[in-house]
Amino acid sequence: NVSFAQLLQESEFMAAPRGDALFSYRLAEIFSGGGIAVVYSDGWVLPFEPLIDYSKVLVRIPQWRIGST
C-alpha cells in the first residue's frame, strides 16, 4: 500500500489537471514532492510566472492533444 506522499516522492512526472479554474493546488503538491508537472491545459494561470522559469519544472501539453498522449 503506497501513500500519496510516497507516490509524489517516487514519481518523476505527474499529471496536473486544471480542475474547475485556471489554476490547481495539484501544482504545489507536485513541486513539493520534487516532480515535474505535466499540464494539460490552455490558458492556465501559473503563479509567479514572471519570476519562475516554468520550462524547467513543467511540461505543457495543449488540451486538444489530451487524447493522443
Side-chain angles (χ1 to χ4, degrees), residues 19-62:
D20 295 336
L22 291 177
F23 62 89
S24 175
Y25 67 88
R26 292 173 190 91
L27 190 62
E29 291 177 336
I30 291 167
F31 292 156
S32 70
I36 298 170
V38 179
V39 176
Y40 287 93
S41 181
D42 299 325
W44 214 23
V45 178
L46 296 168
F48 309 108
E49 196 156 8
L51 304 173
I52 298 173
D53 183 2
Y54 281 103
S55 67
K56 295 182 180 182
V57 294
L58 66 81
V59 176
R60 291 182 196 232
I61 299 175

